Amino acid sequence: MSVLEMYVNYLSHSLVRNAIIVGVLIALCSSLLGTTIVLKRLSFIGDGLSHVAFGALAVAMCFSFTNNMLIVLPVTILVAIILMGSNDKSKVKGDAAIAVLSVGALAVGYLVLNLFPGKNSGNVAGDVCSSLFGSTSILTLGGEDVWICIVLSLVVIMFFVVLYHRIFAVTFDENFAAATGIKSKLYRYLLAIIIAVVIVLSMQLVGSLLISALIVFPVLSAERIVRSFFSVVIASAIIGSLCAFAGIMLSILWSTPIGATVVCVNIIVFILCILLGKIFGRK
Amino acid sequence: MAQIQGIDVSLGYEKRIVANNINFEINQGDYLYIVGENGSGKSTLMKCILGLEKAVGGSIKYGDGLRQKEIGYLPQQSNIQRDFPATVQEIVLSGCLNRLGWKPFFGKKEKEIAKEAMRKLEISDLAMRSYPELSGGQQQRVLLARALCATSKMLILDEPVTGLDPYAQEQLYAMIYKINKEEKITIIMVSHDMEAAKMYASHILHIGGEKCVFCTKQEFIKENGGCLF
């Protein structure tokens, strides 16, 4: 059976199609948000939040909630608001706070999972591994999950399009924006909420340890090859979604873990972009 | 009434007061230098005027049709900005944001204002260039153009020539002076550069400990016998 026939065969299953749709949408949202997160030097917040989400997920799992999102999402949003809300003066402390929080959440999450394994699963190691590194659960998404994901992605994309100029202003120079009457604080909190939503969403795809890759890599790649903010946003959205698509396809072909494959494709593209940037005389 | 009037303003960080009894008055077309040593509260005063921080005591009043949010601001550059991937046009245009109200996108009018600001600062030919590629002096002019987009009344500049070579400093000073004279835009400059203050200022506000002096440049020079501190 040729590779092509195999893909045709796989794609005839709605589960595979769902996985691809969700995967690409998640990657698109992460890379859009990534532009402001990376350029504002907040990458570490994304990383910290993903660990917090893991901790929350662990707690939710041991309570055996029907829908883990009900716990994970609010907790992550709350932490995001606290982290992003701390002002510039406490930046050094903020740095350590994030480290403490993310490692703490990771440890507590793992401990809780071990002490109180959920009723509906006896396999702690499997649970932990899949929530850290992403799972095959993206291949078992029901129609409802897909719709939730599509709606949330559209919200994120709309948010980005409508507020594009404000996001630029606040990302480039928060003080100037605030001084001339832009509600920087408000956008900060909005951004925090959206980041939390995207992180919780992408946990399904790549797991909490690898989320930062989806957020950070596309932007860094785009930065190497284009020079305006607008083109960085567009290029990073395109790179992010293409990498996700390619990664998912490859992982089907080689039966490799989806999350890790997607991230590796991102790494390869990043290296290519560095080379391209060097060849065409950019930094 | 004056554009800005400060009455018995006290400044401080957290609970420590660093400057007391600051009184001043800024009228349209003035060119005020706020001078003083490091840590004397110059930057804090500036932030209070901009509404980014609150004064510990006293009050700052806005008048003569000036609203606080109509003040253009040239902040000190941060590292984030120095290698931010954006074109000159994108950055200048972002200064028009406070004119948008609830509209999500810029229209013809805003683009025209941005174009005009770039023309005034002689950076029109750099419009499509990438910001990190520019020299320090060019970058400052871009940020000044952005500040001009945000105001037609008053500019506050925070040590704008820091890190520039002497030629670029002169050029920037000359441009600011021209904006002050030709557009009748009030300038408030936070600076260490007393030589420049002697040349360009109309008023000087010296902040430092007990002694806060507000006067015209001539009085200031006379008072201090040409020696400014």
Side-chain angles (χ1 to χ4, degrees), chain B:
Chain B
M1 161 152 194
Q3 279 183 323
I4 296 184
Q5 196 178 15
I7 303 161
D8 290 330
V9 180
S10 336
L11 305 167
Y13 314 103
E14 276 141 39
K15 279 178 189 147
R16 203 168 62 87
I17 288 182
V18 294
N20 252 326
N21 296 325
I22 306 173
N23 290 286
F24 60 93
E25 203 184 274
I26 307 167
N27 291 295
Q28 201 198 347
D30 282 357
Y31 196 133
L32 174 73
Y33 260 80
I34 301 179
V35 296
E37 282 148 44
N38 283 333
S40 60
K42 307 191 291 275
S43 292
T44 313
L45 175 62
M46 181 197 75
K47 284 186 176 145
C48 292
I49 295 176
L50 286 166
L52 297 175
E53 277 178 35
K54 280 209 164 66
V56 183
S59 68
I60 297 175
K61 289 188 177 134
Y62 304 84
D64 197 13
L66 178 81
R67 285 180 304 138
Q68 189 179 50
K69 298 303 173 198
E70 290 174 330
I71 304 174
Y73 172 39
L74 182 72
Q76 287 189 32
Q77 273 205 73
S78 64
N79 288 328
I80 294 188
Q81 286 153 16
R82 275 195 196 95
D83 48 34
F84 196 96
T87 59
V88 169
Q89 187 169 17
E90 283 178 313
I91 293 170
V92 175
L93 201 52
S94 76
C96 294
L97 209 54
N98 60 354
R99 298 171 191 269
L100 276 188
W102 286 102
K103 279 191 297 175
F105 302 110
F106 294 115
K108 261 206 178 111
K109 201 178 107 211
E110 287 84 17
K111 284 181 183 151
E112 213 40 61
I113 293 171
K115 223 176 177 175
E116 183 62 19
M118 287 193 277
R119 195 190 56 72
K120 275 179 206 156
L121 288 157
E122 296 164 26
I123 49 172
S124 302
D125 52 327
L126 303 177
M128 300 317 283
R129 288 276 295 279
S130 160
Y131 184 75
E133 292 170 359
L134 304 180
S135 72
Q138 287 169 329
Q139 289 184 341
Q140 282 303 64
R141 279 190 275 154
V142 172
L143 296 186
L144 192 53
R146 174 184 66 165
L148 266 189
C149 283
T151 188
S152 53
K153 290 168 184 159
M154 179 179 287
L155 280 176
I156 296 190
L157 307 102
D158 191 1
E159 315 237 3
V161 300
T162 312
L164 300 186
D165 61 75
Y167 175 72
Q169 288 191 5
E170 280 310 311
Q171 206 181 17
L172 194 65
Y173 276 136
M175 274 176 179
I176 296 166
Y177 191 67
K178 205 171 107 187
I179 291 168
N180 175 244
K181 284 285 162 275
E182 288 179 5
E183 318 271 325
K184 299 275 173 266
I185 291 179
T186 316
I187 305 282
I188 300 178
M189 176 90 84
V190 175
S191 177
H192 277 117
D193 189 347
M194 288 312 299
E195 289 305 311
K198 268 196 232 172
M199 265 179 66
Y200 298 111
S202 68
H203 294 74
I204 288 177
L205 173 60
H206 179 259
I207 302 182
E210 303 299 304
K211 207 181 93 191
C212 290
V213 185
F214 172 72
C215 57
T216 64
K217 177 176 67 181
Q218 286 76 17
E219 286 167 353
F220 195 84
I221 293 175
K222 209 166 106 193
E223 195 104 327
N224 294 274
C227 154
L228 289 153
F229 279 110

Side-chain angles (χ1 to χ4, degrees), chain A residues 63-262:
Chain A
F63 283 114
S64 305
F65 277 105
T66 42
N67 194 342
N68 292 334
M69 286 301 141
L70 291 179
I71 291 253
V72 180
L73 198 57
V75 170
T76 316
I77 288 178
L78 188 72
V79 176
I81 289 178
I82 294 171
L83 287 183
M84 299 270 290
S86 62
N87 58 7
D88 298 325
K89 275 185 189 157
S90 57
K91 211 156 223 173
V92 184
K93 281 186 208 152
D95 196 28
I98 289 165
V100 166
L101 206 64
S102 69
V103 177
L106 209 56
V108 171
Y110 186 53
L111 194 65
V112 165
L113 273 183
N114 271 278
L115 287 179
F116 316 99
K119 287 184 195 95
N120 37 20
S121 99
N123 180 4
V124 173
D127 280 352
V128 171
C129 193
S130 69
S131 33
L132 282 182
F133 292 104
S135 56
T136 45
S137 71
I138 191 163
L139 286 171
T140 58
L141 291 174
E144 195 192 339
D145 297 319
V146 176
W147 279 113
I148 292 179
C149 189
I150 290 177
V151 170
L152 283 179
S153 305
L154 284 181
V155 170
V156 172
I157 293 168
M158 282 298 290
F159 163 84
F160 214 85
V161 171
V162 173
L163 297 179
Y164 169 78
H165 289 293
R166 286 156 178 86
I167 291 175
F168 171 78
V170 173
T171 309
F172 181 71
D173 191 343
E174 205 169 324
N175 271 336
F176 178 85
T180 52
I182 309 301
K183 294 184 182 59
S184 299
K185 275 256 164 63
L186 177 72
Y187 292 113
R188 212 171 229 251
Y189 290 130
L190 265 180
L191 207 60
I193 294 173
I194 303 263
I195 290 171
V197 170
V198 168
I199 282 177
V200 171
L201 270 183
S202 37
M203 240 162 93
Q204 303 189 44
L205 177 63
V206 293
S208 57
L209 273 190
L210 301 178
I211 288 172
S212 307
L214 286 192
I215 295 177
V216 173
F217 273 116
V219 191
L220 291 181
S221 305
E223 248 194 295
R224 292 295 173 283
I225 49 173
V226 290
R227 54 181 72 188
S228 74
F229 183 73
F230 183 72
S231 46
V232 166
V233 170
I234 300 292
S236 115
I238 292 173
I239 291 173
S241 4
L242 283 184
C243 287
F245 181 74
I248 295 172
M249 289 313 240
L250 286 175
S251 74
I252 291 174
L253 184 63
W254 297 331
S255 348
T256 45
I258 292 183
T261 315
V262 170

Side-chain angles (χ1 to χ4, degrees), chain A residues 11-22:
Chain A
L11 288 174
S12 63
H13 299 288
S14 69
L15 288 181
V16 176
R17 286 199 304 268
N18 285 348
I20 291 176
I21 294 173
V22 169

